[in-house]
Amino acid sequence: MDRVTFLADATEALCRWQRERLDEHDSRFEAAKHITSRLGAHWRDGHAEFGFWTPELVGEVPADAVDLELLTATEPVDLTASEQTVAFDRQLVETRRDGEFTWVAVDGPRPGTRDRLGTLYRLSYEQDGGRETITDPFAESLPFGAYGPPELYDMDRLDEQREDRSYFQALAEDGVAPQAHEDDGSPRFEPATSMLEVHPGTATESGTLAGLTSRFEQIGQKQRDGEALTPAERNFTGYDAVQLMPLAPITQNEDELGYWLPEAESESQLTATVRRPDMINWGYDIVISGFGTVNPAILESRRPDELVDLIATLHTMPDPVKVVFDIALGHADNGALPLLNDEWFAGPGMYGQELDYTQPVVRAGLLELQRRKMDFGADGIRVDGAQDFTNWDSEAEEEWHDDEYLAEMDRVTQEVAGVEYRPWMIYEDGRPWPRSDWELASTYRTLIEEHPHAYQWGPVTFAHNTPALQTFWATKWWRVREVADMGENWISGVANHDTIRRGTQLEPDPPFSQPQINRYLGDSRQEQLDRAYNNPATTILFHGFMPGCPMDFTHANMRAPWGFVRDTDAVWNLKVLAEEKNFPEWQVRDRDFADDRFFTRLKEWGFESREDLSAFLARLSDAVSMTDYDKTEMATLLSVAGTPIGDDLSVEDLEQLGRDWMRDVAHFSTLSHWTDAQDDERTAFDLAVRQFRHEHDWVATDFTGEDDLDYVYPTDGTVLYYGHRTDPETGEELLFVGTMEGVAETVTPTALAGIDENGWDVALSSPGLDISAPSDTVTLADSQAALFVRPGERGP
């Protein structure tokens, strides 16, 4: 590699530009919004610019002692290899500090591309006889995880070569959309009609974005060629939006070696063993640092291009599909502490560390990280846990919701393919959760009222719903009725990553004093849970009849297992494992455990059956409670409890068991294991319901005064919903009837709803239900439903 050259004039220009931004704004936050846009590493016109926010150095480390450390591989690096040793040229370049910021411009480093590893970088300085380093929270690429050095990356090239540029240019050509933001008229992507939630780590055999891209490419090609889809492929189609669970770099287990392992270094050379990141996680244990790029554990090539490839594939499907990012900026995992300076943090919180949204540079920096992530080309944002964006009022001794920050998130403008736009905004906000009366007190409308173009997760969708319980559809009736009356800006449906986990935490055999399991859902516990979250009656209700944007989850569609997985936390993994004590009862059949493909690590511990595993998890849960999560005492108790894993257990043994559990469950939940188990009739039905919604998109609007939804009184062992709707424009009518839970009920749909019986056609009916007209008498078993349509007299 050519020697890197320090560019004095360009570096001074960066410092001068920073001072000008501070001088021209009275508000430090407004100035910081500009300054943070230049932080990180940027490849511009043949040279590189680097900017760091370094308040921790002021008054502690002399400015002239801080260098930019650049590491450039001397030979091509195979980023798909599981492990390799790489030699790097090492160069130290002087920097300039101006106040709390450190800047440098250089000529000669290598920008990363799809085909090559770029120059790695970080700040470096001598202290106490060694060298300390500072990473870059605004990194564009982290091929070795958040704890390895970032990579200089050519993001302009990535944008210029994306294959969906015309998709964005069409937005600009259409002019200002109806959802345009009130501030400046920037176009905003319209809401979707229906949406699928996907966990990239378990959606395909490879567990990568490249694997997911291949899946959608195959589906798209079949659609273009007019070929029939397989039952498993149907489960990914019929939606005009895909929501990806969080993609940001995450924490890693502090007891493991990691993925960047320096071995030897000199003034001009550094040799390191580099490993392919393989963290198992839902994606919410983020460390903020590097949030603007992609978790390398879900990148087959460890190139951020994979995310653009996936988005471009979805945007260029025969029927284009929007992409929604799940943005989790309401907290940071404790693993963020060594990566960020102290200014980022407000203190410990429920999920690790609270972030300090009142700190101007932090406030601006988080918005900049959001912008960079969205500039990969997403159409929408789902803001995770919006109720968690809070600040502490020391005088009042209470937290207050930072709704102005949420408004700032709404105002962030993206630029992709030369087109500026704002995304479709979705907030998950259950405030006053976690207050004890949150379920009664939450309106799920706080942010919709502030931002009428935005959506929120509705009350039936929020994390804590459990439709496997008997009486769920009766006791939740008031919330279902709210969806009908005011749900057009709600995400609806019952299946998502949180709700299914809550289902697996239910007691399979609860005491008689507690709500019982709806045994009518199936003959086994696995069938009961699967059908609770992929239910013909609720599918027709939310996709075919109710307002809002219904969302499904891939694992519910596939009736595949799903559990909470994260092998990144040695401290709390055992407590998480204890909370999953009922997972084997709900999600594992005896034949599944006996299958040689599954639970290989747990079998090495001595578990021979599902019953063995369930019994141990019950004892582990008891040990957590009895010891107040003292792991030393837990190891002592479990050593004498007669479990299959031995009688001389250490804390390290238990922690390793926790990691093995997480990896076995993630493998067990990978959808590729369940593709051959898909039912042709059921998947065809599910797809037909989704297609019906797209053909009758007027149902996404709120009920009018002439529409109705009710249930049969008295229940008499059955919760039977029925409803009637009319399209105000065309006069088209819909009639819904469905047994949401309970014993079979015999009804005549038109008589039940009190409407004329002439002119109706059957639009949708659940598998196995034989009905030709709503004037027929029909017996509806648990989860059976039908939807009828009558053409409007006013025409389309």
Side-chain angles (χ1 to χ4, degrees), residues 298-364:
I298 57 172
L299 295 176
E300 184 173 294
S301 63
R302 280 188 267 182
R303 306 285 77 195
D305 302 65
E306 278 188 40
L307 180 52
V308 171
D309 292 346
L310 173 59
I311 293 170
T313 295
L314 289 165
H315 284 168
T316 56
M317 295 283 282
D319 293 313
V321 177
K322 293 180 172 69
V323 178
V324 175
F325 285 171
D326 195 341
I327 299 294
L329 286 171
H331 63 276
D333 185 87
N334 285 329
L337 290 170
L339 297 174
L340 303 171
N341 67 62
D342 292 344
E343 297 287 321
W344 289 85
F345 305 110
M350 182 182 297
Y351 302 109
Q353 294 295 315
E354 301 286 353
L355 300 171
D356 189 355
Y357 304 102
T358 66
Q359 212 292 343
V361 182
V362 172
R363 192 176 185 85

Side-chain angles (χ1 to χ4, degrees), residues 582-629:
N582 295 321
F583 179 89
E585 295 293 322
W586 284 115
Q587 297 274 251
V588 185
R589 298 169 176 85
D590 288 336
R591 66 174 183 269
D592 297 331
F593 195 89
D595 193 317
D596 290 340
R597 296 174 298 168
F598 302 137
F599 303 108
T600 55
R601 297 171 182 83
L602 294 179
K603 289 171 183 175
E604 290 178 357
W605 281 92
F607 296 108
E608 297 181 352
S609 67
R610 179 180 61 82
E611 289 76 11
D612 280 352
L613 184 57
S614 290
F616 172 79
L617 293 178
R619 290 188 175 94
L620 175 65
S621 179
D622 290 341
V624 169
S625 299
M626 293 170 64
T627 66
D628 196 26
Y629 200 58

Side-chain angles (χ1 to χ4, degrees), residues 93 135 156 176 194 207 267 285 345 372 381 401 429 437 461 503-504 600 616:
V93 181
T135 192
D156 288 342
V176 176
S194 64
E267 186 174 333
D285 295 318
F345 305 110
R372 294 192 191 190
I381 293 176
H401 291 282
D429 192 302
D437 65 341
T461 305
T504 65
T600 55
F616 172 79

